[in-house]
Amino acid sequence: MRVLSFLLILLTFGFVKAEIKVVATYPYIASITKEIVKEKAQVDYLASGNLDPHFIVPKPSLTVKLRNADLLIINGAGLEIGWLPPLLNQASNRKINPGSNGFLDLSQYINLIEKPENVSRAMGDVHPEGNPHFHLDPYNVPIISQVITEKLCKLDGSNCDYYKNNLSDFKKRWNEKLAVWNSKMASLKGVKVYQYHKLFDYFLKRYGIISVDTIEPLPGIPPTAKHLEELILKSKSENVKMILQDVYHPIKPAKYISEKMGLKIVVLPHDAGAVEEAKDMFSLFDTIVERMNK
Ligand SMILES: [Zn+2]
């Protein structure tokens, strides 16, 4: 009891600074943030890595996490548009609302690809601002880690040097891994693939792999029988070698095409926690590179 009151006095007079609470929308953001803060802040996330990042069920437990947060880091570019706004509303935590100090939208610092030229829904339902899956370009990860560090320094200046040291250590280890991934991916340059959703476009673009088409005809729209027949025909004329399947869309259409045309199906994780081996950002890319090279 005595210890407790002593702590209370220290807190009241500001001698002990409570560690800040960071909430990220996705596990990949939490993984990068943990590399920077280590034990100096609490890091949590809202969406499980094995779910469709566009469609997360807004549960009350997620509202509780937001209510207690000092900093909210989101992917942005419309990825959370379908599920985060009602949670933020319910949490009514002014510190982390868009525009406040405790809010960070990573997409603001990234060059998005596939930006639609007009605001029609021609690009499909779920990518109206361009392709939001930018964390799958491993070259965007150092940019993201830098932006997160700068925000942490603003909110928690007393630990800024510590965060910056961790950032440079993280970047060094990341660059070493990049060299490994680059050399392993070089042999796949020019290979043609199908994907279910435009999920891996940043990764494929980085390594010169050609995404010929997607199993869903438009982002967020399920495939029709007619579209699958077109994909079967096109796989032959375009010499498509593999189908990249994510962990949350049905695998049946890929199997249907694969059985007819002998294409290889490669199931890829898109976030930490999507498959067992992909535990953090390093093992996420290790797993993608390994599975594509199998
Ligand atoms: Zn998407």
Side-chain angles (χ1 to χ4, degrees), residues 86-273:
L87 287 174
L88 272 176
N89 232 339
Q90 279 158 23
S92 72
N93 174 356
R94 261 197 236 161
K95 279 193 279 186
I96 58 161
N97 278 337
S100 25
N101 268 341
F103 176 81
L104 176 61
D105 175 347
L106 298 173
S107 69
Q108 298 295 312
Y109 303 86
I110 301 285
N111 288 321
L112 295 182
I113 61 172
E114 298 157 17
K115 276 192 173 178
E117 290 187 0
N118 53 52
V119 286
S120 86
R121 309 292 271 180
M123 291 296 284
D125 277 332
V126 295
H127 290 177
E129 296 172 37
N131 191 313
H133 307 293
F134 52 79
H135 74 284
L136 291 165
D137 178 354
Y139 281 78
N140 277 339
V141 172
I143 302 172
I144 295 168
S145 63
Q146 176 85 38
V147 167
I148 292 174
T149 305
E150 281 163 18
K151 176 57 96 176
L152 285 163
C153 277
K154 272 187 199 153
L155 284 184
D156 184 20
S158 59
N159 286 317
C160 186
D161 288 342
Y162 177 80
Y163 297 146
K164 282 183 175 165
N165 275 336
N166 292 343
L167 172 69
S168 60
D169 173 61
F170 171 70
K171 281 185 174 171
K172 188 171 161 278
R173 285 181 290 127
W174 193 258
N175 286 334
E176 284 164 9
K177 271 293 192 175
L178 269 177
V180 176
W181 297 326
N182 290 353
S183 102
K184 286 191 176 163
M185 289 308 296
S187 61
L188 288 169
K189 198 177 173 189
V191 165
K192 291 180 174 177
V193 302
Y194 285 153
Q195 311 172 73
Y196 192 104
H197 175 72
K198 285 174 156 290
L199 190 54
F200 295 97
D201 285 26
Y202 286 87
F203 182 82
L204 301 176
K205 192 166 178 263
R206 171 63 57 195
Y207 292 113
I209 297 164
I210 301 150
S211 180
V212 174
D213 210 333
T214 49
I215 289 181
E216 54 177 16
L218 286 171
I221 311 292
T224 58
K226 184 172 166 273
H227 182 63
L228 291 182
E229 293 311 318
E230 282 166 8
L231 290 180
I232 285 172
L233 284 177
K234 198 155 62 169
S235 72
K236 198 172 183 193
S237 62
E238 293 274 350
N239 194 21
V240 177
K241 293 286 185 209
M242 54 176 108
I243 304 173
L244 306 180
Q245 176 73 35
D246 54 68
V247 299
Y248 57 84
H249 278 117
I251 199 167
K252 221 174 145 189
K255 280 192 170 157
Y256 177 73
I257 299 170
S258 162
E259 275 161 20
K260 296 220 163 180
M261 306 307 288
L263 271 70
K264 187 165 77 167
I265 300 174
V266 182
V267 178
L268 292 183
H270 65 286
D271 202 338

